Amino acid sequence: MNARLVAVLAGTAVLGIGLDQATKALMVATREGKPPIRIAGQVLTLYVTRNSGAAFGFAPAATVLFTGVAVAAAVLIVVKAPRLRSAGWAVALGLVLAGAIGNLCDRLMRAPGIGRGAVVDFIDLRHFADFNVADSCLTCGVVLTLLLSLRGIPMTDDAGADVPRPRPIGQ
């Protein structure tokens, strides 16, 4: 186990979750039910909305399913963490974990009930879906995982262990 890489993953996740939960609490406490705040003209608006579905409001009736997917993703990342071999992967998985746990906290603790709660969104970019810090972490983490994969950077020491190795010529 590479303790430094696990610390990078954990630190990234804790920072992302903390920032997500703090901004959601602040927005709910100070802005819920109030008019939007327009920043940078019409480009950025802050106001509280609730999303029971996935990204872009997709499948609002599947909140319980999204709760299960977030739990599964978090468990998979925690299981893989001790075998990480790249700082890039540690950051990427830390961001994905932050996004999954940040929104999972809402699904578990907000109305209408445990596992069915609506996620707090408060950032509105004109011509784009409403989102929050957890969504940003998740998106950046997924983009980083794609880039690392495309560059062929292995995530763990056992990457490709199931792939047969070619034998040298003459054997």
Side-chain angles (χ1 to χ4, degrees):
M1 178 172 88
N2 186 328
R4 183 183 66 84
L5 294 178
V6 172
V8 168
L9 185 152
T12 302
V14 167
L15 182 63
I17 294 165
L19 187 58
D20 175 66
Q21 292 301 298
T23 55
K24 287 174 179 174
L26 178 66
M27 291 301 293
V28 168
T30 63
R31 300 301 314 158
E32 190 160 43
K34 295 184 178 172
I37 298 172
R38 301 209 186 283
I39 301 173
Q42 300 293 321
V43 176
L44 174 63
T45 303
L46 299 178
Y47 71 101
V48 177
T49 61
R50 305 293 176 130
N51 179 5
S52 60
F56 310 111
F58 173 74
T63 306
V64 174
L65 174 67
F66 299 131
T67 300
V69 168
V71 169
V75 167
L76 182 62
I77 290 169
V78 170
V79 166
K80 288 285 187 185
R83 298 194 314 259
L84 286 174
R85 64 182 276 187
S86 158
W89 277 103
V91 170
L93 294 178
L95 288 168
V96 171
L97 185 59
I101 297 294
N103 284 335
L104 180 61
C105 288
D106 286 9
R107 295 196 188 283
L108 293 175
M109 296 186 275
R110 297 195 187 271
I114 296 174
R116 299 177 293 122
V119 172
V120 173
D121 289 329
F122 59 90
I123 303 167
D124 176 32
L125 294 175
R126 189 172 188 184
H127 307 298
F128 194 71
D130 298 343
F131 62 99
N132 57 47
V133 174
D135 296 334
S136 297
C137 288
L138 190 56
T139 300
C140 291
V142 167
V143 168
L144 187 52
T145 62
L146 290 173
L147 292 173
L148 292 165
S149 295
L150 289 172
R151 293 199 58 215
I153 298 172
M155 179 190 321
T156 62
D157 287 330
D158 58 5
D162 297 334
V163 178
R165 304 270 187 235
R167 286 187 274 164
I169 297 176
Q171 286 188 343

